[in-house]
Amino acid sequence: MFTLAGGAVIYPQAEALDTIRSYALDTRSLTPGTRFPDAFTTHKVPAYAYRTYDCVPASPGPLFSDLDLLVTAGLNARLDVPAIAALRSFADRAANYLDAAHNQQPDFLLLNRPELGDDPPQGSAGWHLREAWRQGMATPGLDIARVHKALHHKRPRLVPLLDNKTV
């Protein structure tokens, strides 16, 4: 049994593992549209974002590549010039903070309690992580989801991605 939220949610182990397996491996059929029914053969594509998001490696080094941002924006399915421009601006400003946090502590689960609060000690990994987050949240046109997904894509162990499905 997996217990979450202080016992408010309980999942049998088999159900939890099936959910994770489904997220990672399930496929769906992609069939040509009715206008061009013979354009390609029906084939399987990933059903969820794991293989089209989590399995796309982040660019090397501290800076965000355009692919890093495209993968992030693609999850929200609203790609337009203002969204990409906002992500590019945020990523350029956040990169050094995220890299500094990663260099100090690359694993979120190993951050100490003071670093996880609203006012982490200046210069700590938590402080740099908060500053990277703040750069995104201060950018008009970006929301929690886009900021979090961009940071997660670049440094997945430092910024775990939690949503209703993965929780």
Side-chain angles (χ1 to χ4, degrees):
M1 296 299 260
F2 287 96
T3 304
L4 303 171
V9 180
I10 299 173
Y11 289 103
Q13 183 176 3
E15 183 181 349
L17 292 175
D18 284 346
T19 299
I20 292 167
R21 188 177 301 109
S22 171
Y23 178 70
L25 302 175
D26 275 3
T27 60
R28 64 179 178 84
S29 292
L30 183 64
T31 303
T34 56
R35 185 169 175 208
F36 300 102
D38 299 326
F40 61 87
T41 303
T42 297
H43 59 281
K44 300 288 186 182
V45 296
Y48 300 106
Y50 176 73
R51 285 188 282 162
T52 57
Y53 173 76
D54 297 286
C55 291
V56 175
S59 60
L63 301 179
F64 288 74
S65 72
D66 290 336
L67 178 59
D68 294 327
L69 303 179
L70 184 63
V71 167
T72 299
L75 281 175
N76 289 62
R78 290 183 303 275
L79 293 175
D80 58 18
V81 172
I84 293 294
L87 278 169
R88 175 82 272 158
S89 173
F90 146 62
D92 290 344
R93 289 178 281 112
N96 289 334
Y97 291 117
L98 189 61
D99 193 51
H102 180 261
N103 287 336
Q104 289 182 37
Q105 178 49 263
D107 192 332
F108 180 83
L109 297 175
L110 298 178
L111 291 171
N112 63 46
R113 181 69 180 118
E115 290 181 284
L116 298 174
D118 289 336
D119 192 23
Q122 179 139 3
S124 68
W127 182 86
H128 287 287
L129 187 56
R130 187 201 64 199
E131 287 301 305
W133 172 260
R134 192 169 72 99
Q135 290 303 313
M137 295 310 296
T139 305
L142 297 185
D143 57 9
I144 291 171
R146 283 193 174 148
V147 170
H148 198 113
K149 288 171 184 170
L151 295 173
H152 168 77
H153 178 71
K154 188 66 177 171
R155 298 291 183 200
R157 285 184 54 207
L158 181 59
V159 185
L161 185 61
L162 300 174
D163 62 15
N164 292 340
K165 185 85 168 166
T166 57
V167 164

